[in-house]
Amino acid sequence: MRSVIILNSKIIIKGDQQRISNLLSAMEVKDTPVTILLDNQEIYTNEILATEMCHNFRIEVMELDAKLGEIDGMIYLPDNPFYDPEIIDASTIAENIREPLMQFRMAINDIISRGFNGKIMIDCPHDEIFVYFAAYFSGLDVKKIIGLGTLPQEIILREALVRKFNVSGDDINVNTLGLNTHNLVAWSRVYIGPSTLLSYIADDSKNYDDKIINNFSEQISNHKIVSNSVIQSKAVMRLLTCVYGKNSLICSVTSLKKENDKLSLSLGPKLVNQFGIFRSINLQLADNEQEELTHDAEWSMDIIENIKKGNKNGKKN
């Protein structure tokens, strides 16, 4: 992978104290060339002290009334107690996520009132809900609002394929789709070099286990991925180099479409760069894959409508 310099980027981080601390520590180890703006100096004294050994990474403390018109972006990292992988009822999820969304709204209102017009990156379970309400609360261009989506699962799957088939990461073409709480892979569109993965493992001369696809699926369906701080921090930093740097990346981050002032979710692959969501990538899916992706989007919109209405009349059982 070619190196990237993130030039003069100033990024606010808001959310849960422990999650912010974990990401700051990862950035310090990497000496990420970016300046992070925080609200509270006393909470992060250890992290601020550690910057003394960094050449590129900086932490600054914002004044409470500081103008934010020149700030490049915000990363939002809420705590995750609202997430329960066993709960799929839309109305129950809506009720559980209501309080975290109120805290999110306060953070959005604060930065917008101070002139913020940068990009927002969100990392949490059900990030599609936060992405939707980020646009709903802020009025920002939807191309500037990005959820981490299934990028962590995609990184894990890519590394699993590299290890299993002893190839370079550059030889792997793969996209995980859908929600970070319920992802899917269009296996017929996964390539190793010029060959599809399915044709690659069907080659009798290679003698691969016929359960290999199921094993990969189980690996990236682990519900603990969305709350693992190391995995999430690594994925945030991977996306950071594209959103605020000079690289670009095709991956299935969570984003929105806006047509006739109506917001809808976009859960497929996109080209992401310093402009945010640059464009969606048309990926041909099998009928059952498209149905599953549509179902996920409808389920998420059901949660969103329940939150808007403030009731418990969910449609999904």
Side-chain angles (χ1 to χ4, degrees):
M1 182 184 300
R2 56 197 174 97
S3 61
V4 173
I5 298 177
I6 305 173
L7 298 174
N8 302 318
S9 293
K10 289 192 173 184
I11 302 171
I12 302 165
I13 301 185
K14 289 181 175 286
D16 175 66
Q17 177 182 339
Q18 186 58 55
R19 295 199 64 204
I20 293 174
S21 178
N22 291 339
L23 181 58
L24 292 176
S25 297
M27 289 179 165
E28 286 169 332
V29 171
K30 191 77 172 177
D31 196 11
T32 307
V34 65
T35 298
I36 296 299
L37 306 177
L38 301 174
D39 292 321
N40 193 318
Q41 180 175 355
E42 296 180 359
I43 293 177
Y44 302 103
T45 54
N46 289 334
E47 291 79 6
I48 292 172
L49 176 61
T51 61
E52 294 182 7
M53 65 180 294
C54 295
H55 179 70
N56 299 304
F57 181 71
R58 296 287 183 269
I59 295 177
E60 296 179 1
V61 179
M62 293 187 296
E63 298 293 335
L64 292 178
D65 58 350
K67 299 300 180 183
L68 305 179
E70 301 300 318
I71 301 304
D72 297 287
M74 179 182 79
I75 300 174
Y76 193 72
L77 305 170
D79 197 9
N80 300 327
F82 61 84
Y83 173 58
D84 185 340
E86 300 300 320
I87 297 176
I88 63 171
D89 176 67
S91 61
T92 304
I93 295 172
E95 192 62 28
N96 292 344
I97 209 170
R98 196 181 307 280
E99 180 60 32
L101 274 177
M102 290 302 297
Q103 297 173 7
F104 182 49
R105 183 173 192 167
M106 292 173 62
I108 292 291
N109 289 347
D110 173 53
I111 62 172
I112 295 298
S113 70
R114 292 193 273 162
F116 178 86
N117 193 38
K119 296 183 283 290
I120 297 177
M121 186 188 304
I122 301 165
D123 173 28
C124 63
H126 294 297
D127 66 351
E128 73 280 3
I129 309 300
F130 286 80
V131 164
Y132 182 95
F133 282 101
Y136 191 76
F137 296 150
S138 71
L140 289 173
D141 185 342
V142 294
K143 293 181 179 180
K144 292 184 175 182
I145 302 172
I146 306 170
L148 201 61
T150 60
L151 179 59
Q153 288 88 344
E154 180 181 311
I155 293 174
I156 290 171
L157 179 56
R158 182 180 298 276
E159 292 304 317
L161 291 169
V162 166
R163 289 193 299 269
K164 181 65 177 180
F165 300 112
N166 194 28
V167 296
S168 166
D170 294 335
D171 294 327
I172 303 293
N173 185 355
V174 59
N175 286 111
T176 52
L177 310 174
L179 306 170
N180 62 8
T181 55
H182 181 246
N183 66 82
L184 67 108
V185 178
W187 293 106
S188 62
R189 299 296 175 180
V190 177
Y191 282 82
I192 300 178
S195 302
T196 66
L197 174 62
L198 297 181
S199 64
Y200 198 83
I201 63 178
D203 187 341
D204 292 337
S205 66
K206 293 183 173 64
N207 196 30
Y208 288 117
D209 190 333
D210 58 3
K211 296 181 180 179
I212 192 169
I213 296 294
N214 288 336
N215 294 339
F216 286 139
S217 295
E218 289 179 5
Q219 185 175 1
I220 63 172
S221 297
N222 187 337
H223 64 82
K224 294 181 179 179
I225 290 174
V226 294
S227 56
N228 184 289
S229 62
V230 175
I231 292 173
Q232 297 301 310
S233 292
K234 184 172 182 177
V236 167
M237 293 171 65
R238 176 73 180 93
L239 191 58
L240 198 72
T241 63
C242 301
V243 176
Y244 301 106
K246 298 298 182 181
N247 268 358
S248 59
L249 179 68
I250 294 177
C251 61
S252 293
V253 293
T254 305
S255 67
L256 298 167
K257 295 179 289 186
K258 188 174 184 179
E259 297 178 359
N260 299 322
D261 291 327
K262 184 177 181 180
L263 297 172
S264 60
L265 294 171
S266 176
L267 304 178
K270 294 102 185 170
L271 175 62
V272 182
N273 59 19
Q274 61 266 38
F275 299 106
I277 302 295
F278 189 70
R279 69 169 180 265
S280 295
I281 305 298
N282 184 25
L283 185 65
Q284 291 296 116
L285 301 176
D287 289 345
N288 63 318
E289 294 166 343
Q290 186 59 58
E291 287 174 5
E292 187 171 354
L293 201 60
T294 300
H295 182 271
D296 282 349
E298 290 176 347
W299 176 59
S300 295
M301 289 304 300
D302 194 7
I303 298 171
I304 288 166
E305 291 304 318
N306 271 270
I307 293 170
K308 287 182 178 181
K309 294 174 183 176
N311 61 32
K312 295 187 177 182
N313 298 319
K315 301 174 186 175
K316 179 172 179 176
N317 294 317

PDB file of all heavy atoms in Angstrom, residues 22-46:
ATOM      1  N   ASN A  22      -8.966   4.828  23.382  1.00  0.00           N
ATOM      2  CA  ASN A  22      -8.429   3.709  22.595  1.00  0.00           C
ATOM      3  C   ASN A  22      -7.973   4.171  21.216  1.00  0.00           C
ATOM      4  O   ASN A  22      -6.901   3.765  20.732  1.00  0.00           O
ATOM      5  CB  ASN A  22      -9.493   2.614  22.445  1.00  0.00           C
ATOM      6  CG  ASN A  22      -9.790   1.901  23.741  1.00  0.00           C
ATOM      7  OD1 ASN A  22      -8.993   1.916  24.680  1.00  0.00           O
ATOM      8  ND2 ASN A  22     -10.950   1.270  23.825  1.00  0.00           N
ATOM      9  N   LEU A  23      -8.785   5.013  20.564  1.00  0.00           N
ATOM     10  CA  LEU A  23      -8.416   5.493  19.233  1.00  0.00           C
ATOM     11  C   LEU A  23      -7.204   6.415  19.298  1.00  0.00           C
ATOM     12  O   LEU A  23      -6.310   6.342  18.448  1.00  0.00           O
ATOM     13  CB  LEU A  23      -9.595   6.209  18.582  1.00  0.00           C
ATOM     14  CG  LEU A  23      -9.348   6.735  17.165  1.00  0.00           C
ATOM     15  CD1 LEU A  23      -8.945   5.615  16.208  1.00  0.00           C
ATOM     16  CD2 LEU A  23     -10.583   7.458  16.622  1.00  0.00           C
ATOM     17  N   LEU A  24      -7.144   7.290  20.300  1.00  0.00           N
ATOM     18  CA  LEU A  24      -5.987   8.167  20.448  1.00  0.00           C
ATOM     19  C   LEU A  24      -4.704   7.363  20.632  1.00  0.00           C
ATOM     20  O   LEU A  24      -3.666   7.680  20.040  1.00  0.00           O
ATOM     21  CB  LEU A  24      -6.185   9.106  21.639  1.00  0.00           C
ATOM     22  CG  LEU A  24      -7.283  10.164  21.519  1.00  0.00           C
ATOM     23  CD1 LEU A  24      -7.408  10.955  22.815  1.00  0.00           C
ATOM     24  CD2 LEU A  24      -7.024  11.097  20.348  1.00  0.00           C
ATOM     25  N   SER A  25      -4.783   6.303  21.429  1.00  0.00           N
ATOM     26  CA  SER A  25      -3.602   5.465  21.653  1.00  0.00           C
ATOM     27  C   SER A  25      -3.141   4.811  20.361  1.00  0.00           C
ATOM     28  O   SER A  25      -1.933   4.745  20.077  1.00  0.00           O
ATOM     29  CB  SER A  25      -3.910   4.393  22.709  1.00  0.00           C
ATOM     30  OG  SER A  25      -4.204   4.986  23.962  1.00  0.00           O
ATOM     31  N   ALA A  26      -4.105   4.338  19.551  1.00  0.00           N
ATOM     32  CA  ALA A  26      -3.747   3.724  18.269  1.00  0.00           C
ATOM     33  C   ALA A  26      -3.101   4.747  17.339  1.00  0.00           C
ATOM     34  O   ALA A  26      -2.128   4.445  16.633  1.00  0.00           O
ATOM     35  CB  ALA A  26      -4.995   3.129  17.612  1.00  0.00           C
ATOM     36  N   MET A  27      -3.619   5.953  17.330  1.00  0.00           N
ATOM     37  CA  MET A  27      -3.054   7.003  16.486  1.00  0.00           C
ATOM     38  C   MET A  27      -1.648   7.388  16.935  1.00  0.00           C
ATOM     39  O   MET A  27      -0.772   7.684  16.114  1.00  0.00           O
ATOM     40  CB  MET A  27      -3.967   8.232  16.500  1.00  0.00           C
ATOM     41  CG  MET A  27      -5.277   8.041  15.751  1.00  0.00           C
ATOM     42  SD  MET A  27      -6.315   9.528  15.847  1.00  0.00           S
ATOM     43  CE  MET A  27      -7.501   9.186  14.554  1.00  0.00           C
ATOM     44  N   GLU A  28      -1.442   7.389  18.242  1.00  0.00           N
ATOM     45  CA  GLU A  28      -0.123   7.735  18.773  1.00  0.00           C
ATOM     46  C   GLU A  28       0.911   6.671  18.423  1.00  0.00           C
ATOM     47  O   GLU A  28       2.052   6.993  18.048  1.00  0.00           O
ATOM     48  CB  GLU A  28      -0.212   7.934  20.284  1.00  0.00           C
ATOM     49  CG  GLU A  28      -0.894   9.246  20.643  1.00  0.00           C
ATOM     50  CD  GLU A  28      -1.232   9.375  22.113  1.00  0.00           C
ATOM     51  OE1 GLU A  28      -1.437   8.338  22.780  1.00  0.00           O
ATOM     52  OE2 GLU A  28      -1.308  10.510  22.597  1.00  0.00           O
ATOM     53  N   VAL A  29       0.538   5.413  18.534  1.00  0.00           N
ATOM     54  CA  VAL A  29       1.455   4.334  18.158  1.00  0.00           C
ATOM     55  C   VAL A  29       1.829   4.444  16.685  1.00  0.00           C
ATOM     56  O   VAL A  29       2.992   4.237  16.298  1.00  0.00           O
ATOM     57  CB  VAL A  29       0.817   2.959  18.455  1.00  0.00           C
ATOM     58  CG1 VAL A  29       1.658   1.829  17.862  1.00  0.00           C
ATOM     59  CG2 VAL A  29       0.660   2.761  19.955  1.00  0.00           C
ATOM     60  N   LYS A  30       0.865   4.795  15.858  1.00  0.00           N
ATOM     61  CA  LYS A  30       1.089   4.933  14.420  1.00  0.00           C
ATOM     62  C   LYS A  30       1.704   6.285  14.067  1.00  0.00           C
ATOM     63  O   LYS A  30       2.212   6.468  12.957  1.00  0.00           O
ATOM     64  CB  LYS A  30      -0.265   4.793  13.704  1.00  0.00           C
ATOM     65  CG  LYS A  30      -0.187   4.648  12.201  1.00  0.00           C
ATOM     66  CD  LYS A  30       0.234   3.271  11.771  1.00  0.00           C
ATOM     67  CE  LYS A  30       0.115   3.099  10.269  1.00  0.00           C
ATOM     68  NZ  LYS A  30       0.579   1.789   9.806  1.00  0.00           N
ATOM     69  N   ASP A  31       1.700   7.226  15.006  1.00  0.00           N
ATOM     70  CA  ASP A  31       2.136   8.600  14.769  1.00  0.00           C
ATOM     71  C   ASP A  31       1.416   9.184  13.546  1.00  0.00           C
ATOM     72  O   ASP A  31       2.027   9.738  12.628  1.00  0.00           O
ATOM     73  CB  ASP A  31       3.659   8.678  14.578  1.00  0.00           C
ATOM     74  CG  ASP A  31       4.189  10.108  14.726  1.00  0.00           C
ATOM     75  OD1 ASP A  31       3.428  10.973  15.181  1.00  0.00           O
ATOM     76  OD2 ASP A  31       5.357  10.343  14.356  1.00  0.00           O
ATOM     77  N   THR A  32       0.101   9.039  13.570  1.00  0.00           N
ATOM     78  CA  THR A  32      -0.735   9.495  12.461  1.00  0.00           C
ATOM     79  C   THR A  32      -0.601  11.005  12.280  1.00  0.00           C
ATOM     80  O   THR A  32      -0.769  11.762  13.239  1.00  0.00           O
ATOM     81  CB  THR A  32      -2.205   9.142  12.743  1.00  0.00           C
ATOM     82  OG1 THR A  32      -2.308   7.751  13.054  1.00  0.00           O
ATOM     83  CG2 THR A  32      -3.079   9.456  11.543  1.00  0.00           C
ATOM     84  N   PRO A  33      -0.306  11.470  11.085  1.00  0.00           N
ATOM     85  CA  PRO A  33      -0.097  12.912  10.869  1.00  0.00           C
ATOM     86  C   PRO A  33      -1.397  13.700  10.805  1.00  0.00           C
ATOM     87  O   PRO A  33      -1.863  14.115   9.736  1.00  0.00           O
ATOM     88  CB  PRO A  33       0.658  12.950   9.535  1.00  0.00           C
ATOM     89  CG  PRO A  33       0.234  11.715   8.823  1.00  0.00           C
ATOM     90  CD  PRO A  33      -0.008  10.681   9.879  1.00  0.00           C
ATOM     91  N   VAL A  34      -1.991  13.920  11.959  1.00  0.00           N
ATOM     92  CA  VAL A  34      -3.269  14.614  12.049  1.00  0.00           C
ATOM     93  C   VAL A  34      -3.333  15.292  13.419  1.00  0.00           C
ATOM     94  O   VAL A  34      -2.681  14.864  14.371  1.00  0.00           O
ATOM     95  CB  VAL A  34      -4.430  13.614  11.862  1.00  0.00           C
ATOM     96  CG1 VAL A  34      -4.482  12.605  12.981  1.00  0.00           C
ATOM     97  CG2 VAL A  34      -5.767  14.326  11.730  1.00  0.00           C
ATOM     98  N   THR A  35      -4.096  16.369  13.512  1.00  0.00           N
ATOM     99  CA  THR A  35      -4.314  17.048  14.787  1.00  0.00           C
ATOM    100  C   THR A  35      -5.723  16.754  15.271  1.00  0.00           C
ATOM    101  O   THR A  35      -6.699  16.981  14.557  1.00  0.00           O
ATOM    102  CB  THR A  35      -4.134  18.571  14.643  1.00  0.00           C
ATOM    103  OG1 THR A  35      -2.795  18.851  14.233  1.00  0.00           O
ATOM    104  CG2 THR A  35      -4.405  19.274  15.966  1.00  0.00           C
ATOM    105  N   ILE A  36      -5.822  16.215  16.496  1.00  0.00           N
ATOM    106  CA  ILE A  36      -7.106  15.867  17.090  1.00  0.00           C
ATOM    107  C   ILE A  36      -7.503  16.952  18.088  1.00  0.00           C
ATOM    108  O   ILE A  36      -6.700  17.381  18.919  1.00  0.00           O
ATOM    109  CB  ILE A  36      -7.030  14.504  17.803  1.00  0.00           C
ATOM    110  CG1 ILE A  36      -6.742  13.389  16.804  1.00  0.00           C
ATOM    111  CG2 ILE A  36      -8.329  14.226  18.565  1.00  0.00           C
ATOM    112  CD1 ILE A  36      -7.778  13.216  15.717  1.00  0.00           C
ATOM    113  N   LEU A  37      -8.746  17.383  18.010  1.00  0.00           N
ATOM    114  CA  LEU A  37      -9.285  18.400  18.898  1.00  0.00           C
ATOM    115  C   LEU A  37     -10.229  17.761  19.908  1.00  0.00           C
ATOM    116  O   LEU A  37     -11.161  17.045  19.524  1.00  0.00           O
ATOM    117  CB  LEU A  37     -10.029  19.468  18.091  1.00  0.00           C
ATOM    118  CG  LEU A  37      -9.226  20.131  16.962  1.00  0.00           C
ATOM    119  CD1 LEU A  37     -10.103  21.123  16.205  1.00  0.00           C
ATOM    120  CD2 LEU A  37      -7.992  20.823  17.493  1.00  0.00           C
ATOM    121  N   LEU A  38      -9.992  18.034  21.189  1.00  0.00           N
ATOM    122  CA  LEU A  38     -10.789  17.459  22.260  1.00  0.00           C
ATOM    123  C   LEU A  38     -11.424  18.555  23.106  1.00  0.00           C
ATOM    124  O   LEU A  38     -10.944  19.695  23.133  1.00  0.00           O
ATOM    125  CB  LEU A  38      -9.921  16.565  23.150  1.00  0.00           C
ATOM    126  CG  LEU A  38      -9.226  15.378  22.462  1.00  0.00           C
ATOM    127  CD1 LEU A  38      -8.293  14.688  23.442  1.00  0.00           C
ATOM    128  CD2 LEU A  38     -10.248  14.395  21.924  1.00  0.00           C
ATOM    129  N   ASP A  39     -12.486  18.187  23.815  1.00  0.00           N
ATOM    130  CA  ASP A  39     -13.189  19.146  24.665  1.00  0.00           C
ATOM    131  C   ASP A  39     -12.556  19.305  26.037  1.00  0.00           C
ATOM    132  O   ASP A  39     -12.650  20.358  26.650  1.00  0.00           O
ATOM    133  CB  ASP A  39     -14.658  18.710  24.857  1.00  0.00           C
ATOM    134  CG  ASP A  39     -15.465  18.808  23.580  1.00  0.00           C
ATOM    135  OD1 ASP A  39     -15.263  19.784  22.839  1.00  0.00           O
ATOM    136  OD2 ASP A  39     -16.288  17.922  23.328  1.00  0.00           O
ATOM    137  N   ASN A  40     -11.936  18.230  26.547  1.00  0.00           N
ATOM    138  CA  ASN A  40     -11.528  18.195  27.948  1.00  0.00           C
ATOM    139  C   ASN A  40     -10.079  17.744  28.082  1.00  0.00           C
ATOM    140  O   ASN A  40      -9.738  16.617  27.730  1.00  0.00           O
ATOM    141  CB  ASN A  40     -12.453  17.258  28.727  1.00  0.00           C
ATOM    142  CG  ASN A  40     -12.299  17.392  30.225  1.00  0.00           C
ATOM    143  OD1 ASN A  40     -11.199  17.502  30.744  1.00  0.00           O
ATOM    144  ND2 ASN A  40     -13.434  17.383  30.924  1.00  0.00           N
ATOM    145  N   GLN A  41      -9.244  18.602  28.603  1.00  0.00           N
ATOM    146  CA  GLN A  41      -7.830  18.269  28.756  1.00  0.00           C
ATOM    147  C   GLN A  41      -7.585  17.324  29.918  1.00  0.00           C
ATOM    148  O   GLN A  41      -6.755  16.422  29.835  1.00  0.00           O
ATOM    149  CB  GLN A  41      -7.023  19.552  28.971  1.00  0.00           C
ATOM    150  CG  GLN A  41      -5.528  19.326  29.155  1.00  0.00           C
ATOM    151  CD  GLN A  41      -4.753  20.626  29.241  1.00  0.00           C
ATOM    152  OE1 GLN A  41      -5.318  21.706  29.070  1.00  0.00           O
ATOM    153  NE2 GLN A  41      -3.471  20.523  29.501  1.00  0.00           N
ATOM    154  N   GLU A  42      -8.328  17.486  31.004  1.00  0.00           N
ATOM    155  CA  GLU A  42      -8.065  16.721  32.223  1.00  0.00           C
ATOM    156  C   GLU A  42      -8.336  15.236  32.037  1.00  0.00           C
ATOM    157  O   GLU A  42      -7.656  14.393  32.623  1.00  0.00           O
ATOM    158  CB  GLU A  42      -8.914  17.276  33.370  1.00  0.00           C
ATOM    159  CG  GLU A  42      -8.552  18.708  33.749  1.00  0.00           C
ATOM    160  CD  GLU A  42      -9.405  19.227  34.892  1.00  0.00           C
ATOM    161  OE1 GLU A  42     -10.280  18.466  35.369  1.00  0.00           O
ATOM    162  OE2 GLU A  42      -9.199  20.386  35.298  1.00  0.00           O
ATOM    163  N   ILE A  43      -9.338  14.890  31.219  1.00  0.00           N
ATOM    164  CA  ILE A  43      -9.688  13.478  31.027  1.00  0.00           C
ATOM    165  C   ILE A  43      -8.592  12.727  30.276  1.00  0.00           C
ATOM    166  O   ILE A  43      -8.346  11.543  30.540  1.00  0.00           O
ATOM    167  CB  ILE A  43     -11.026  13.366  30.270  1.00  0.00           C
ATOM    168  CG1 ILE A  43     -12.170  13.893  31.134  1.00  0.00           C
ATOM    169  CG2 ILE A  43     -11.303  11.923  29.851  1.00  0.00           C
ATOM    170  CD1 ILE A  43     -13.514  13.893  30.435  1.00  0.00           C
ATOM    171  N   TYR A  44      -7.911  13.414  29.366  1.00  0.00           N
ATOM    172  CA  TYR A  44      -6.970  12.741  28.462  1.00  0.00           C
ATOM    173  C   TYR A  44      -5.522  13.150  28.724  1.00  0.00           C
ATOM    174  O   TYR A  44      -4.732  13.286  27.805  1.00  0.00           O
ATOM    175  CB  TYR A  44      -7.355  13.036  27.010  1.00  0.00           C
ATOM    176  CG  TYR A  44      -8.765  12.611  26.680  1.00  0.00           C
ATOM    177  CD1 TYR A  44      -9.793  13.552  26.588  1.00  0.00           C
ATOM    178  CD2 TYR A  44      -9.082  11.266  26.486  1.00  0.00           C
ATOM    179  CE1 TYR A  44     -11.100  13.163  26.304  1.00  0.00           C
ATOM    180  CE2 TYR A  44     -10.385  10.874  26.204  1.00  0.00           C
ATOM    181  CZ  TYR A  44     -11.382  11.830  26.120  1.00  0.00           C
ATOM    182  OH  TYR A  44     -12.664  11.439  25.836  1.00  0.00           O
ATOM    183  N   THR A  45      -5.160  13.316  29.988  1.00  0.00           N
ATOM    184  CA  THR A  45      -3.799  13.753  30.322  1.00  0.00           C
ATOM    185  C   THR A  45      -2.748  12.744  29.870  1.00  0.00           C
ATOM    186  O   THR A  45      -1.673  13.126  29.399  1.00  0.00           O
ATOM    187  CB  THR A  45      -3.675  13.992  31.832  1.00  0.00           C
ATOM    188  OG1 THR A  45      -4.107  12.805  32.539  1.00  0.00           O
ATOM    189  CG2 THR A  45      -4.509  15.179  32.277  1.00  0.00           C
ATOM    190  N   ASN A  46      -3.043  11.460  30.007  1.00  0.00           N
ATOM    191  CA  ASN A  46      -2.073  10.440  29.590  1.00  0.00           C
ATOM    192  C   ASN A  46      -1.860  10.459  28.083  1.00  0.00           C
ATOM    193  O   ASN A  46      -0.724  10.331  27.599  1.00  0.00           O
ATOM    194  CB  ASN A  46      -2.538   9.046  30.029  1.00  0.00           C
ATOM    195  CG  ASN A  46      -2.439   8.837  31.517  1.00  0.00           C
ATOM    196  OD1 ASN A  46      -1.621   9.468  32.188  1.00  0.00           O
ATOM    197  ND2 ASN A  46      -3.283   7.971  32.057  1.00  0.00           N
TER     198      ASN A  46
END
